[in-house]
Amino acid sequence: ATPAPAAAPAAAPPAAAPAGAPAGGSGFAVQLMSTTSRPEADKLVARLQEFDPRVEAAEVSGKGRVYRVRVGPFETRAEAEKQLKAMAGKSPAKGMVVTLRAR
């Protein structure tokens, strides 16, 4: 009898999504600020700790590195809109709902 071929090695597990991220890395977030000043972003995060905000750094063509202050992620736009309304008047920034993309 011919021996069975050896099993192929298991594929490496996918990289873990950030804590609280929806499966697949997509969904929605409330973006409160986008600035080129990390200290300015950190100041807003400190002011809004009750909403568990975070700073995300990104390279933007024509602007260089920007720091986005975001709350979320949320699985649905409706959940993000509800959070945005709950934050009204508590942030100096108006804020907006943004779509997160898988990385």
Side-chain angles (χ1 to χ4, degrees):
T2 305
S26 60
F28 301 90
V30 174
Q31 182 168 305
L32 298 169
M33 172 189 287
S34 180
T35 179
T36 57
S37 168
R38 178 66 192 237
E40 186 179 1
D42 289 339
K43 184 177 176 181
L44 183 59
V45 165
R47 181 176 176 176
L48 300 173
Q49 281 300 301
E50 68 187 279
F51 298 106
D52 197 23
R54 68 186 179 285
V55 176
E56 295 179 0
E59 293 296 324
V60 176
S61 179
K63 291 187 180 183
R65 181 166 292 244
V66 297
Y67 301 94
R68 298 170 177 153
V69 178
R70 291 182 169 175
V71 174
F74 303 94
E75 289 189 19
T76 67
R77 179 172 288 278
E79 289 172 329
E81 294 283 351
K82 182 177 178 182
Q83 181 65 51
L84 181 59
K85 286 179 185 174
M87 298 175 76
K90 296 185 181 184
S91 169
K94 180 180 175 185
M96 64 181 175
V97 173
V98 296
T99 302
L100 301 175
R101 291 169 181 61
R103 293 184 182 147

